[in-house]
């Protein structure tokens, strides 16, 4: 089972920031938080990941709370093309896990004009 | 650089027939994963190769599914004989070491 909890759906106005929350209260100390998204019927696309520090790349920012029990993915200026299902996944390489991703239901983000 | 490619993109077969899906990972990626999404359900892990060896096949649903990765390059996933419940989208992903995984566009399998 997925170790994360996400709202099933969210709306965002085009051009505004989209803030997608994720709860991972049972996260272990060596587990990273990964975000992927799936646009329509395409394959999942990697967005960003982090351990405990906030991270930013060309696609998004990831804010992880100090206790690491929750995080927020931020798309700073959402466009219609960002409409997708967003998955928050936690895992640690090693300890019997070598990259297997456990997908939950994710959050369906609808960006509206 | 080419991404993960999967072939075919769509396949419609009759119940009882055999289908073989192919995945070409990103060149140099030792890790290759198969996932699938059946209608209305979550994306589920099937198995993981490291080079040509099966590292984890805990997600394979039954012995009608056979995955191979001869030579540690491309991989095939054969379903024989196919059943109606095998319908879904099959994704392949690859990664190098502990880096993030890149997914292909998937193969949509429909068993009628």
């Amino acid at each position: 089972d997925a170790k994360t909890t996400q709202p099933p759906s969210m709306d965002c106005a085009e051009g505004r920031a989209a803030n997608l929350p994720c709860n991972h209260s049972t996260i272990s100390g060596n587990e990273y938080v990964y975000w992927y998204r799936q646009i329509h019927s395409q394959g999942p696309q990697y967005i960003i990941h982090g351990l405990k520090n906030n991270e930013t790349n060309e696609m998004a920012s990831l804010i992880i709370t100090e206790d690491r029990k929750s995080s927020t993915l931020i798309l700073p200026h959402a466009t219609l093309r960002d409409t997708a299902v967003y998955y928050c996944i936690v895992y640690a390489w090693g300890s019997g896990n070598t990259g297997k991703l456990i997908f939950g239901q994710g959050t369906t983000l609808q960006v509206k004009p | 650089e080419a991404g993960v490619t999967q072939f075919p993109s769509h396949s419609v077969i009759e119940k009882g027939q055999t289908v073989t899906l192919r995945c070409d990972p990103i060149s140099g990626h030792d890790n290759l994963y198969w996932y699938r999404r059946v209608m209305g359900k979550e994306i589920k892990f099937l198995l993981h190769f490291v080079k040509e060896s099966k590292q984890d096949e805990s997600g394979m649903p039954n012995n009608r599914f056979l995955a191979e990765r001869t030579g540690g390059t491309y991989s095939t996933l054969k379903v024989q004989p196919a059943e109606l419940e095998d319908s879904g989208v099959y994704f392949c992903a690859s990664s190098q070491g502990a880096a993030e995984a890149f997914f292909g566009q998937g193969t949509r399998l429909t068993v009628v």
Side-chain angles (χ1 to χ4, degrees):
Chain A
D1 292 341
K3 296 179 64 174
T4 62
T5 304
Q6 300 176 249
S9 64
M10 292 181 65
D11 289 342
C12 177
E14 187 178 20
R16 303 297 294 269
N19 297 281
L20 291 91
C22 179
N23 287 322
H24 31 79
S25 58
T26 62
I27 192 170
S28 300
N30 62 340
E31 287 183 316
Y32 286 74
V33 180
Y34 281 76
W35 283 84
Y36 282 79
R37 72 180 181 183
Q38 187 177 22
I39 297 174
H40 193 46
S41 296
Q42 298 178 20
Q45 176 190 25
Y46 166 80
I47 301 173
I48 198 168
H49 74 280
L51 183 62
K52 55 183 179 181
N53 297 322
N54 298 337
E55 302 287 345
T56 295
N57 63 19
E58 65 278 4
M59 289 182 68
S61 294
L62 174 60
I63 308 297
I64 302 174
T65 58
E66 191 170 344
D67 63 8
R68 302 209 323 122
K69 293 185 176 181
S70 65
S71 60
T72 301
L73 177 74
I74 301 173
L75 307 178
H77 304 286
T79 70
L80 298 179
R81 289 175 295 180
D82 291 321
T83 292
V85 180
Y86 288 76
Y87 298 98
C88 171
I89 301 169
V90 299
Y91 85 89
W93 187 273
S95 301
N97 186 343
T98 53
K100 175 173 69 178
L101 300 175
I102 299 176
F103 289 85
Q105 300 277 7
T107 295
T108 299
L109 175 68
Q110 182 72 49
V111 180
K112 298 185 174 181
Chain B
E1 179 182 343
V4 177
T5 56
Q6 294 186 244
F7 182 83
S9 56
H10 294 83
S11 180
V12 181
I13 62 171
E14 292 184 352
K15 176 182 174 181
Q17 289 186 322
T18 298
V19 63
T20 300
L21 314 180
R22 172 169 170 147
C23 169
D24 285 74
I26 293 173
S27 178
H29 282 191
D30 290 340
N31 296 300
L32 187 149
Y33 307 86
W34 283 97
Y35 293 82
R36 78 170 177 178
R37 182 176 206 159
V38 297
M39 181 81 72
K41 297 292 183 67
E42 298 157 5
I43 299 171
K44 293 290 188 183
F45 166 83
L46 295 179
L47 88 159
H48 169 210
F49 283 99
V50 177
K51 297 183 180 178
E52 68 275 11
S53 300
K54 292 177 184 175
Q55 183 76 18
D56 181 354
E57 50 184 330
S58 61
M60 293 288 264
N62 52 61
N63 59 10
R64 294 186 294 103
F65 289 74
L66 175 64
E68 295 180 323
R69 192 184 181 194
T70 306
T73 54
Y74 71 91
S75 174
T76 58
L77 179 64
K78 182 192 298 186
V79 185
Q80 180 183 28
E83 299 289 344
L84 298 178
E85 64 264 26
D86 300 331
S87 296
V89 183
Y90 290 76
F91 294 106
C92 175
S94 72
S95 70
Q96 181 56 40
E100 64 274 12
F102 294 88
F103 283 76
Q105 293 300 296
T107 293
R108 180 173 296 278
L109 174 65
T110 302
V111 183
V112 297

